[in-house]
Amino acid sequence: MHSRKLIIWILIALGIIIVIGYSVFALKGIVQGPRIVVSAPQNGSSTTTPLIAIIGRVLRGSTITLNGATSTLDLAGNFAETLLLAPGYNIMTLEAMDRYGRSDKKTIEMTLFTN
């Protein structure tokens, strides 16, 4: 009889641990906020071509802006924008927002060398 109560308590404790573990996993996206992952170009790179493509993905975000202009996201959160660089040093700022008002910022610095 004693071992039966012990098994019941162990099963109840396992059930509670599983529910808490799943809750932490499910709420992770709400707690962390958005994140920007830039695939191209690399920060600090240089180029001789004035037209560049900025490619990346927004995780857990609903909008993204490039230098203050709104960009579009596909259903997976991917974005791609082309930008015309000025000769010399250029700074591009990406900012992602989620539906709760939290944001993430990434800055890309590039140099355009002209002939």
Side-chain angles (χ1 to χ4, degrees), residues 28-108:
K28 183 175 116 176
I30 295 172
V31 173
Q32 286 184 339
R35 193 178 103 188
I36 302 170
V37 179
V38 178
S39 304
Q42 288 185 340
N43 189 26
S45 62
S46 59
T47 184
T48 57
T49 308
L51 193 62
I52 62 160
I54 299 175
I55 302 168
R57 184 172 185 195
V58 176
L59 305 172
R60 300 177 303 275
S62 56
T63 62
I64 187 162
T65 59
L66 172 61
N67 293 337
T70 303
S71 182
T72 58
L73 295 171
D74 67 8
L75 293 176
N78 299 311
F79 65 90
E81 288 292 327
T82 55
L83 192 64
L84 187 61
L85 297 177
Y89 183 69
N90 292 269
I91 299 174
M92 288 83 55
T93 304
L94 293 162
E95 184 173 10
M97 297 279 291
D98 67 3
R99 62 182 174 205
Y100 303 110
R102 293 175 296 191
S103 66
D104 182 28
K105 264 188 182 175
K106 292 281 183 191
T107 302
I108 303 170

Side-chain angles (χ1 to χ4, degrees), residues 1-40:
M1 191 69 162
H2 181 66
S3 62
R4 187 174 183 172
K5 284 185 178 182
L6 181 63
I7 291 173
I8 290 173
W9 279 106
I10 290 173
L11 289 175
I12 290 172
L14 281 174
I16 291 171
I17 290 171
I18 289 171
V19 168
I20 291 172
Y22 179 75
S23 298
V24 168
F25 175 76
L27 294 174
K28 183 175 116 176
I30 295 172
V31 173
Q32 286 184 339
R35 193 178 103 188
I36 302 170
V37 179
V38 178
S39 304

